[in-house]
Each structure stands twice: as structure tokens, then as C-alpha cells.
Amino acid sequence: MRILTSLILLISFLLIKQFPKKKYQNLNFELEIIITNIKNPGNVFIAIYNNPLDFNSDDDSTSRIAYPIKEKVLEGNFSKKIILEEGIYAYKVFIDNNNNNKFDFNFFGFPKEQYGFSNDVIGILGPPTFKEASFNLNSNTTIKTKMK
């Protein structure tokens, strides 16, 4: 009886080894964001989202952001490399020139500070949707955004 049990276990082990395992691990890729046409020094705020509900929300709290970035920038260009899990993402970016940590608008509701979106898209009468700004991160990727 023991020999039969051992033989069944050995055969089961050999059969399992024959079939390839599915990959359940998350794949990570490098995203390089290049921001161009920065006209004045300040702080760059980049909010990377991984779903349309948060991207299209008026709530910009950090709990909705998949990966927030805030760094000092000078005139010209800025580049940032980060590692993210494979997925679909979109980002919003603005340059805070007066260091008040918010995106300022004038009396008529037009932006007073530079801004941009992934894929360099601009919405009609407002910000673009997640679908318009989204990209599939399934390999190392570089995305350029020219500040408006």
C-alpha cells in the first residue's frame, strides 16, 4: 500500500512539473515623463491615475491618486522616471508658480498657471477624459507633455 501511495505521489509530482505555471506576479515597468515648455520656475505637480472615476473626479485629494509627484522645476524641461505596475494610466500636471500648492484660475475661470495632460491631449471646454489621456503601460514607456 505504501509503495502504491508513493508511486501515485511521484506520478502526480511529475505531471505537475510538465505543465507551465501561470504568472501571478505583477509586472513592473519604467515610465519616464518628460515635461517641456516650462516658462517659469515653481513646483511641478503630477497626479498619475489608474482609473477613470478618480481621474474625472473634481476631488484631487491624494487618496485618489495612484502616484503623486511634487518637485521643484526651472524654466525649460523636466524629466522624471518612476516604476509602476503594468496597467492603464493617465496623468494631469501643472506648474505652481506662486507656491500656494493649488492650481490657480483667473476671474473668468481660465488657468493662470501652466498645465498639461498625458498624451498631450486638451479637452474641449474643460479637462480631457481618462479615455482621451490614458495609455497602456505594458513596457518601458516615455511620454512627453508640452505645458500649455
Side-chain angles (χ1 to χ4, degrees):
M1 187 71 166
R2 280 187 177 205
I3 295 176
L4 183 61
T5 305
S6 296
L7 188 57
I8 290 172
L9 287 173
L10 179 61
I11 290 171
S12 297
F13 176 76
L14 291 174
L15 285 174
I16 290 172
K17 293 294 273 182
Q18 296 296 321
F19 295 105
K21 294 180 184 177
K22 284 188 173 181
K23 293 183 180 179
Y24 292 105
Q25 65 188 22
N26 292 329
L27 298 176
N28 296 318
F29 297 103
E30 180 181 88
L31 172 64
E32 180 178 19
I33 298 172
I34 300 174
I35 307 297
T36 64
N37 193 39
I38 300 172
K39 294 180 180 176
N40 297 300
N43 289 314
V44 65
F45 285 84
I46 304 173
I48 303 171
Y49 297 87
N50 60 2
N51 68 75
L53 182 64
D54 291 336
F55 183 86
N56 297 329
S57 170
D58 289 333
D59 180 2
D60 287 329
S61 62
T62 55
S63 64
R64 291 186 169 269
I65 299 171
Y67 197 104
I69 299 169
K70 177 186 175 186
E71 291 194 23
K72 292 199 175 296
V73 293
L74 301 173
E75 289 179 39
N77 300 329
F78 169 80
S79 175
K80 180 73 174 181
K81 292 180 182 180
I82 61 171
I83 302 296
L84 294 172
E85 289 183 3
E86 180 177 18
I88 297 175
Y89 296 92
Y91 64 79
K92 303 173 183 180
V93 58
F94 78 93
I95 308 294
D96 180 19
N97 298 121
N98 60 4
N99 295 316
N100 67 351
N101 295 321
K102 64 180 187 173
F103 186 45
D104 296 319
F105 296 89
N106 67 17
F107 177 77
F108 299 105
F110 294 108
K112 290 172 63 175
E113 296 173 305
Q114 287 189 286
Y115 64 94
F117 300 92
S118 46
N119 296 335
D120 238 354
V121 295
I122 296 295
I124 299 170
L125 300 176
T129 65
F130 181 82
K131 184 177 180 180
E132 294 169 317
S134 67
F135 56 92
N136 190 7
L137 186 66
N138 57 10
S139 64
N140 293 341
T141 303
T142 299
I143 296 184
K144 289 184 181 181
T145 299
K146 183 177 180 183
M147 299 303 288
K148 307 324 178 237

